[in-house]
Structure formats: C-alpha cells, structure tokens
DNA sequence: TGTGTCATGTCAAACGTTTGATAGTAAGTA
DNA sequence: TACTTACTATCAAACGTTTGACATGACACA
C-alpha cells in the first residue's frame, strides 16, 4: 500500500488544489501586469493606491499588514508614488511621527485608469465562468483563506 | 450612472474574484513556507524537486517554463540544491552543453519529507471544503487559468 | 560544405524585497 | 514623575529575482 502511495506522489502533486491555485494566481497576475504596463504602472502600485482610496488616512504599518508585505516594502512604494505626485504623506493628528496616506488628484486619476484595466480582467473571468460560478469560486476561495489562516 | 460606479470602485474592488484569489494563494503559500521551514526547505525548492521527480531528465530551460520563472532563477536554485547533494546535473546524451536534471537519493528523501507536509496542507483544505467542493474548486481554478492564458 | 537560425546556459548589473538594527513617540504603570 | 512597553518609521546590508548580453552547440537550408 505504501508502494502505491509512493508511485502516486509525482502525478498526485500536480493535481492538487493548491497547485491549481498557484497556477491560476500566477496567470491572473501576469495578465494584470501585462495590461497595466502601458499605463506605466505595476500591480503593486495599483493595489496600494486602491487600498488608500478605500481607506483614506491609512498608515504605512497598517497598510503593510493588509497587503501582507513588510513595512519597508510599503515605504519603498510610497516613496515612489509620492515622487510621482500620486500619493502624499500627512502627519497624523495625534501621533506626530506617524504618517497618514492620502491620494492626490493625480493619484485618484491614475487609480481609476488602472482600475478600468483590472475591472476588465475581472470581467473576462466572470464572463467565461458565468456570474453564478464566479460567485461560487469567490466563496470557495474565501473559505480556503479562512481555513488556512488559522491552521 | 457613472457616479454610482465611481462610488463602488473602492468596495467593489475588494470583493473581486481576483482579489480573493490573491488572498487565498498568499495564505496558502505562507502556510506552506511556515511548515516547510523546520525541514530547512522553502517552497521553491520543493516545487523544483517535485517537478524533476515527476519528469526525470528535465532540462533547466524547460523547467523554467513550467514554473513560470526565468532560467536564471532555476539555475540559481539548481546550484544550491546541487551543492546540498539533492540534485545532480548530467550531460544530455545528444546535446552536449544541455544539462539533464536528476534527483539523488538524498533529494528523493528530502522531497518525500517535504511532500508529506504539503500533502497535509492540501488535506486540511480539502477536508474543510469537502472533497466535492474541493474538486469543483480545482476545476474552476483550471478554467480561470485557461481563460486568462489566452486573453 | 558552409551559413543562418534557434535554443541552452552563464555572466554581470539593476531592482525590489526581506531581515536586522536603531531612533522617536505615545500610552500604561509604579 | 520616572519608567517600562508597544508601535511607527527609517537606515543598512543580505538575498533572490529579473533584465540584458554573450558564448556555445545543434539543426535546417542553400
């Protein structure tokens, strides 16, 4: 019986859910980057701008936790976006050396342009699957996230 | 109407399938790394060993394509795994300066140990979802991959 | 028999991230 | 008030990957 399992290790591993998950995420991410490139933007920039847009005044450390990256990575991105005039740091009203992040008008504009591209990618997927299956997929993915998060 | 869409950009973006996909993949990957660390291995090593195991004699360039990384990244990993004695490069019988990759006994052992960990992560997920939903999820993910790949 | 074309593998440099360490600031506590 | 404790932000170094360029070797074709 052990022998059977041994022989199935190879092919079995390639048909795992986590493998399909990795491939799908990689494919989607690659497409996003490709579509975003003409706008002079990468997915990480879009994600950051979108996050700040949906929660204005977010601070760097909190943003790092939401995006699952290190604070330094956020700082690096923020510095770049700030130098482009798309994002600005403001002093936190209560904590002096804490910085709130806010979008500038240019930042909002860039974000909306990028969001159109991302929304289109989303649309391609949901149309191919059907809105019913797409909703099901989203629910299953969220369940995976919750399951794995406390494992 | 445009106004309505504008206001929905923020919250809408966070409920997208591609967002759920990213979060799930990130969570799964993080768990894998955490479980693999005690074995002195990272997910990239496991993936490479598993690929070579399932297709012995694979060459570097082909491996790079399968894993969606650059040949240089593969070479870097191969060099490390080779120095650990888990992988070996052999001269391709027909093409002299092409290198076939083969697992050593130590490599097979390490791969199996790692696979046990990965299989457990997979099991946690499939049990939480039920094997029925897990199969459905895998099918949906593959459909996403195929859809996005030629878009 | 040359010759062009393609693919593999390697080197070097640039880039972005993580890890580790440090300084500054606010809040809770003795 | 003084003193922890916790959190934020920043600097410096290490690490891994990508990008670009190059040499080698095999195959197809004139």
């Amino acid at each position: 019986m052990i022998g059977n399992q041994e022989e199935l290790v190879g092919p079995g591993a390639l048909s795992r859910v986590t493998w399909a998950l990795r491939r799908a995420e990689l494919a989607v991410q690659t497409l996003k980057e490709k579509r975003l490139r003409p706008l002079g933007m990468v997915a990480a920039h879009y994600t950051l701008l979108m996050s700040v847009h949906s929660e204005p005044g977010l601070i760097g450390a909190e943003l790092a936790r939401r995006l699952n990256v290190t604070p330094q990575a956020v700082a690096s991105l923020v510095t770049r976006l700030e130098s482009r005039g798309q994002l600005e740091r403001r002093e936190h009203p209560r904590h002096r050396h804490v910085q709130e992040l806010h979008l500038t008008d240019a930042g909002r504009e860039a974000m909306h342009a990028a969001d159109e591209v991302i929304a289109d990618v989303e649309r391609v997927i949901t149309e191919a699957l059907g809105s019913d299956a797409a909703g099901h997929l989203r629910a299953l993915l969220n369940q995976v996230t919750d399951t794995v998060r406390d494992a």
Side-chain angles (χ1 to χ4, degrees), chain A:
Chain A
M1 294 304 145
I2 290 175
N4 266 338
Q5 284 190 345
E6 289 277 333
E7 293 204 51
L8 284 174
V9 165
L14 290 134
S15 63
R16 285 183 182 144
V17 171
T18 56
W19 192 263
L21 179 62
R22 179 177 182 269
R23 289 206 316 153
E25 159 64 8
L26 210 55
V28 169
Q29 200 64 20
T30 300
L31 179 60
K32 282 186 179 177
E33 299 284 3
K34 198 170 82 179
R35 298 275 181 96
L36 242 31
R37 174 162 299 234
L39 282 70
M41 198 179 268
V42 296
H45 296 163
Y46 165 73
T47 304
L48 198 154
L49 291 178
M50 175 60 78
S51 299
V52 174
H53 172 73
S54 70
E55 295 185 66
L58 214 54
I59 66 174
E62 180 61 25
L63 189 48
R65 283 189 287 268
R66 309 255 171 138
L67 303 182
N68 270 294
V69 295
T70 58
Q72 293 82 348
V74 169
S76 169
L77 289 173
V78 167
T79 298
R80 170 163 305 185
L81 292 173
E82 190 182 27
S83 74
R84 288 192 195 171
Q86 297 177 339
L87 196 69
E88 66 177 5
R89 315 185 198 221
R90 295 185 200 160
E91 192 177 78
H92 189 106
R94 300 193 51 178
H95 308 274
R96 199 158 34 148
H97 87 308
V98 174
Q99 306 162 343
E100 289 186 342
L101 300 176
H102 292 270
L103 259 55
T104 63
D105 290 341
R108 254 180 296 276
E109 191 176 341
M111 194 273 292
H112 279 113
D115 190 58
E116 227 169 279
V117 168
I118 301 298
D120 185 61
V121 171
E122 175 82 8
R123 199 171 46 75
V124 166
I125 294 172
T126 52
E127 282 183 2
L129 267 61
S131 69
D132 205 32
H136 195 184
L137 173 58
R138 196 178 56 212
L140 287 170
L141 287 171
N142 287 332
Q143 196 176 347
V144 169
T145 303
D146 293 341
T147 300
V148 165
R149 227 166 57 83
D150 40 54

